[in-house]
Amino acid sequence: MKREFKGSAMLNPVPLALITSKDLDTDKTNVFTVGWIGTACTKPPMLSIAIRPERYSYELIKKSGELVVNLPSDNLVKAVDFCGVRSGREIDKIENFNLTLKGSTKISTPYIDECPVALECSVRDIIPLGTHDLFLVDVLCSHVNENIIDEKGKIHFENANLLHYCHGEYYPMVNKSIGSFGYSVRKKKKSKNKPNKKTNKK
């Protein structure tokens, strides 16, 4: 039996990201936490990010037209929470948590080196929705820690200890898979070792 609730954004869990943006007037970098973020398109690579217009970062991103999506690991959970509840108008959150900024290659906004994955983005469009505006951003390039890339070049996000958010709580990503894309319809591989045929000698 299920209980019915009124319409609400009850999509859980969601990924967490630390978004860096640059104040063009002061040249300072700000960071804030978002949970309403997702993949919007693969070609061209595009993300959707919902941001409240009253957020300090909203002003910076709208003016500069760029941002970096930094994916934090579980050791940054305190910074993730803090950056979601404190405003950059009041405190320098980068300095407060001693986060290391590294220069991006496609945009002027730096990324956070402590995050295992960082995606440089430019703003394509801003769509007013209600409490939030939807930012559609193009992913220009990405930076990934070498220690989660295997010898074949595959990125193992499960080894990055990434965080996700679920109904007011933070959880680490598990690193054991229970399936892979398409496994439910994948044909089983035939054994290469065929049994030897017995020959009858007369």
Side-chain angles (χ1 to χ4, degrees):
M1 179 179 282
K2 289 184 173 62
R3 184 185 298 184
E4 184 176 322
F5 291 83
K6 65 178 182 179
S8 63
M10 201 183 288
L11 179 63
N12 286 282
V14 292
L16 280 167
L18 288 170
I19 305 291
T20 45
S21 57
K22 201 169 191 179
D23 188 329
L24 297 181
D25 297 325
T26 64
D27 205 39
K28 291 195 74 173
T29 300
N30 184 56
V31 59
F32 84 119
T33 304
V34 297
W36 312 153
I37 182 172
T39 300
C41 187
T42 52
K43 290 184 180 181
M46 198 183 307
L47 304 179
S48 62
I49 307 169
I51 307 174
R52 289 180 180 270
E54 59 266 27
R55 296 297 297 260
Y56 175 53
S57 290
Y58 179 100
E59 303 170 14
L60 305 185
I61 296 167
K62 189 174 182 180
K63 189 174 181 179
S64 69
E66 60 181 43
L67 57 88
V68 179
V69 175
N70 303 274
L71 302 183
S73 50
D74 56 7
N75 64 319
L76 291 172
V77 64
K78 191 171 182 179
V80 166
D81 184 67
F82 188 90
C83 292
V85 296
R86 295 295 298 272
S87 174
R89 293 188 183 97
E90 305 163 357
I91 188 170
D92 185 333
K93 292 177 276 188
I94 300 287
E95 186 178 300
N96 189 76
F97 279 93
N98 199 28
L99 298 174
T100 308
L101 296 178
K102 289 291 182 75
S104 293
T105 55
K106 303 291 184 182
I107 60 176
S108 63
T109 301
Y111 63 88
I112 299 172
D113 197 39
E114 285 80 5
C115 291
V117 181
L119 295 80
E120 297 183 28
C121 304
S122 64
V123 177
R124 172 185 285 256
D125 199 6
I126 304 173
I127 306 168
L129 299 177
T131 57
H132 294 67
D133 284 1
L134 188 69
F135 283 68
L136 289 176
V137 301
D138 292 304
V139 181
L140 305 179
C141 74
S142 304
H143 305 270
V144 181
N145 279 8
E146 288 187 358
N147 63 356
I148 62 169
I149 305 173
D150 66 22
E151 63 280 359
K152 294 181 180 179
K154 180 181 178 179
I155 302 171
H156 290 270
F157 292 99
E158 72 276 13
N159 294 333
N161 301 315
L162 299 177
L163 282 170
H164 61 268
Y165 183 75
C166 185
H167 201 52
E169 307 285 346
Y170 305 105
Y171 294 90
M173 178 179 170
V174 298
N175 59 11
K176 274 197 172 182
S177 168
I178 59 171
S180 61
F181 181 76
Y183 85 99
S184 62
V185 296
R186 193 175 296 131
K187 291 181 179 180
K188 291 183 179 179
K189 290 182 179 180
K190 291 181 180 179
S191 176
K192 291 182 180 179
N193 299 320
K194 294 181 179 179
N196 294 324
K197 291 182 179 180
K198 291 182 179 179
T199 55
N200 295 322
K201 291 183 179 180
K202 290 183 180 180

